[in-house]
């Protein structure tokens, strides 16, 4: 037994009751995720409105829609390091406050350049959110529990995606796109203030009660702590980057172009597309939770942890590809929406588990860093998706066939990358 755990009095049962706070923290992170993604989605909802006001073509709109993702991807790298160093309380509070202010300032945009710069700043400011959530889960849950809270935190983004089309369309129609930006930004300020008031790290006693043997292992002195740059020398890191790229690419085709697709390719009105676009995202909420449940149950049945994470990642990506690819050749709008809904459900099954996988593979002091590097790869795909889609639509006169074909193929690439090349290499070293 380590000295740290030997000094802990486990006869006091009060900490057992106090650790319930961890689920309140998860709930607050879900709310933060909802506001975070409403800020990301407001531009895609106002896509056609802003394009008309500013006189933008499809390629220009694609560049604007990707303006968030490029800086977000890059900023994830230092954000992960900063969350590991300064902790989730400070980093999440600063991030939420900053992205909210930027969202409200975006309402003042009077040109393409102003709005583009605001989206770049929004991407940078939002980068610490999911790495903060991963760090919270790592501190407050043991490895057999962690997949579920991480997946629940990720449902925040899917709830936002589901309510964004009808909610933001309503705000857009009643108070213009500028008013929509201000309202969502104000919600983020409230979240930041509540987080500062509520969050705390677990005490040593709580950590021991939560993690048991895992806490014992983490308390042992390390012979050598690898530097952050060491992650880039590991094969797992690069295949996680590639896998996340393939999965996130298609997810962000949905997030940035689905409302426009329903209007231009399927002939639905702005108000109709607002409700119909919510259907795939509602399915996404179930998808994220499904991934966490599958992974947790697999671990309880004795399947190795990394393998248990890969099951929903690979299975979800392959199912998503099988649903997305036929959309390119479907004429019936109802069938297309069903396939899009199944595809988005399946594409979300891996999302929460991707973050949990990073926590399982990385050392405790590098959890947020590895999660951030993986997310960097994912958001390279997210950044390319709207630009490539805009270019294809410009070149083909608005034909989405190639859009869905590319998305389906990249989902398969993501599945293969995680399935065959991401391994528990620590077991190999100790064998």
């Amino acid at each position: 037994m380590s000295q740290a755990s030997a000094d802990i009095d486990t006869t006091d049962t009060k900490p057992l009751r106090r650790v319930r706070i961890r689920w309140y923290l998860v709930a607050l992170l879900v709310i933060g995720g909802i506001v975070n993604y409403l800020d990301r989605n407001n531009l895609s909802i106002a896509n056609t409105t802003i394009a008309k006001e500013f006189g933008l073509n499809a390629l220009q709109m694609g560049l604007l829609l990707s303006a968030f993702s490029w800086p977000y991807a890059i900023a994830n790298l230092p954000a992960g390091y900063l969350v590991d160093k300064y902790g989730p309380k400070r980093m999440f509070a600063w991030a939420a406050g900053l992205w909210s202010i930027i969202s409200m300032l975006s309402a003042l945009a009077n040109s393409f350049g102003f709005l583009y710069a605001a989206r770049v700043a929004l991407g940078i400011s939002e980068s610490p959110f999911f790495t903060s959530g991963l760090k919270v889960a790592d501190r407050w849950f043991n490895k057999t529990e962690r997949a579920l809270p991480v997946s629940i935190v990720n449902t925040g983004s899917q709830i936002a995606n589901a309510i964004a089309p009808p909610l933001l369309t309503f705000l857009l129609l009643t108070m213009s796109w500028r008013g929509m930006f201000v309202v969502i930004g104000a919600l983020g300020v409230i979240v930041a203030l509540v987080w500062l008031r509520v969050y705390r790290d677990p005490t040593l006693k709580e950590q021991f009660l939560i993690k048991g043997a895992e806490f014992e292992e983490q308390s042992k002195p390390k012979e050598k702590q690898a530097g952050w740059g060491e992650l880039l020398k590991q094969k797992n890191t690069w295949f996680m980057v590639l896998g996340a790229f393939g999965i996130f690419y298609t997810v962000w085709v949905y997030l940035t172009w689905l409302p426009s697709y329903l209007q231009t390719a399927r002939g639905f009105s702005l108000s109709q597309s607002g409700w119909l676009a919510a259907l795939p995202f509602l399915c996404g909420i179930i998808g994220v939770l499904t991934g966490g449940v599958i992974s947790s149950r697999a671990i309880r049945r004795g399947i190795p942890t990394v393998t248990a994470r890969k099951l929903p990642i690979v299975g979800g990506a392959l199912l998503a590809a099988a649903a997305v690819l036929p959309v390119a050749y479907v004429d019936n709008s109802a069938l297309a929406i069903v396939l899009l809904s199944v595809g988005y459900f399946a594409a979300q099954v891996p999302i929460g588990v991707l973050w949990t996988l990073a926590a399982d593979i990385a050392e405790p002091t590098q959890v947020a860093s590895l999660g951030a590097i993986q997310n960097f790869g994912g958001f390279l795909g997210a950044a390319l998706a709207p630009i490539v889609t805009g270019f294809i639509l410009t070149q083909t006169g608005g034909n989405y066939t190639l859009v869905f074909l590319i998305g389906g193929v990249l989902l398969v690439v993501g599945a293969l990358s995680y399935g065959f090349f991401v391994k528990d290499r620590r077991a190999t070293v100790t064998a």
Side-chain angles (χ1 to χ4, degrees):
M1 180 180 292
S2 67
Q3 183 61 43
S5 58
D7 295 336
I8 297 173
D9 177 15
T10 58
T11 61
D12 183 4
T13 59
K14 288 182 180 179
L16 285 170
R17 295 193 297 271
R18 293 178 64 200
V19 296
R20 294 174 185 170
I21 190 179
R22 61 188 184 165
W23 290 108
Y24 293 109
L25 298 177
V26 169
L28 187 53
L29 284 167
V30 170
I31 295 171
I34 293 172
V35 176
N36 180 285
Y37 260 71
L38 287 176
D39 272 315
R40 301 186 193 193
N41 282 332
N42 52 22
L43 184 60
S44 63
I45 297 301
N47 184 331
T48 54
T49 303
I50 291 177
K52 183 178 180 180
E53 180 177 331
F54 291 173
L56 308 177
N57 60 32
L59 180 57
Q60 289 173 313
M61 199 64 211
L63 289 169
L64 189 56
L65 288 167
S66 73
F68 169 93
S69 300
W70 287 108
Y72 180 86
I74 296 170
N76 258 271
L77 300 176
Y81 169 79
L82 292 172
V83 170
D84 276 330
K85 183 173 182 179
Y86 296 111
K89 181 170 185 173
R90 281 189 284 179
M91 290 304 299
F92 174 63
W94 274 104
L98 188 56
W99 88 55
S100 301
I101 293 171
I102 292 169
S103 179
M104 290 187 282
L105 289 176
S106 299
L108 301 176
N110 57 5
S111 66
F112 173 88
F114 188 113
L115 194 53
Y116 190 95
R119 297 299 289 187
V120 168
L122 186 70
I124 295 171
S125 62
E126 290 197 1
S127 60
F129 174 70
F130 283 107
T131 47
S132 295
L134 179 62
K135 197 69 174 179
V136 171
D138 181 61
R139 288 182 174 178
W140 281 97
F141 296 86
N142 63 52
K143 68 179 181 181
T144 62
E145 302 173 308
R146 202 173 290 139
L148 183 58
V150 171
S151 294
I152 291 174
V153 169
N154 276 270
T155 62
S157 61
Q158 302 316 306
I159 293 170
N161 291 336
I163 66 175
L167 173 62
L168 296 183
T169 299
F170 171 78
L171 294 176
L172 173 65
L173 293 173
T174 56
M175 60 178 61
S176 81
W177 67 268
R178 299 177 191 275
M180 175 181 69
F181 276 54
V182 171
V183 169
I184 302 305
L187 292 176
V189 174
I190 297 172
V191 170
L193 293 175
V194 173
W195 180 260
L196 280 173
R197 179 70 179 85
V198 172
Y199 183 80
R200 66 174 178 81
D201 287 329
T203 64
L204 283 175
K205 185 180 293 185
E206 288 168 335
Q207 290 182 62
F208 180 78
L209 291 169
I210 291 167
K211 297 191 175 184
E214 186 181 347
F215 176 75
E216 292 275 355
E217 183 63 28
Q218 292 179 4
S219 299
K220 293 179 181 178
K222 302 291 190 301
E223 292 184 6
K224 180 182 180 182
Q225 176 61 53
W228 182 86
E230 288 296 313
L231 290 171
L232 297 178
K233 299 178 182 179
Q234 299 173 14
K235 292 181 180 179
N236 274 343
T237 301
W238 291 103
F239 285 114
M240 290 168 73
V241 166
L242 177 61
F245 178 97
I247 294 171
F248 278 48
Y249 179 97
T250 305
V251 168
W252 273 75
V253 171
Y254 277 89
L255 294 178
T256 54
W257 283 100
L258 181 58
S260 178
Y261 166 75
L262 293 173
Q263 293 171 47
T264 60
R266 294 294 172 179
F268 294 105
S269 67
L270 177 60
S271 58
Q272 288 173 327
S273 66
W275 289 102
L276 290 172
L279 295 177
F281 300 134
L282 285 169
C283 295
I285 298 171
I286 302 172
V288 173
L289 292 173
T290 299
V293 170
I294 291 172
S295 179
S296 295
R297 287 184 176 178
I299 290 177
R300 287 198 294 269
R301 292 179 181 178
I303 295 176
T305 300
V306 172
T307 303
R309 306 305 186 207
K310 288 163 59 173
L311 286 174
I313 294 173
V314 175
L318 290 177
L319 177 58
V324 167
L325 285 168
V327 175
Y329 303 102
V330 169
D331 293 326
N332 183 278
S333 293
L335 178 57
I337 292 172
V338 169
L339 288 172
L340 287 169
S341 297
V342 173
Y344 195 76
F345 160 82
Q348 289 302 314
V349 169
I351 297 301
V353 189
L354 293 180
W355 287 98
T356 315
L357 179 64
D360 295 323
I361 290 178
E363 295 294 334
T365 57
Q366 295 179 314
V367 166
S369 296
L370 181 57
I373 294 172
Q374 178 180 236
N375 206 35
F376 164 78
F379 271 84
L380 287 180
L384 278 175
I387 297 176
V388 172
T389 301
F391 177 77
I392 291 171
L393 297 179
T394 301
Q395 296 298 114
T396 62
N399 190 306
Y400 278 83
T401 299
L402 189 56
V403 172
F404 292 113
L405 290 177
I406 292 175
V409 169
L410 286 177
L411 284 166
V412 174
V413 171
L416 295 177
S417 183
Y418 280 106
F420 287 102
F421 301 106
V422 176
K423 302 176 181 178
D424 190 351
R425 301 180 192 277
R426 293 172 300 178
T428 303
V429 173
T430 57

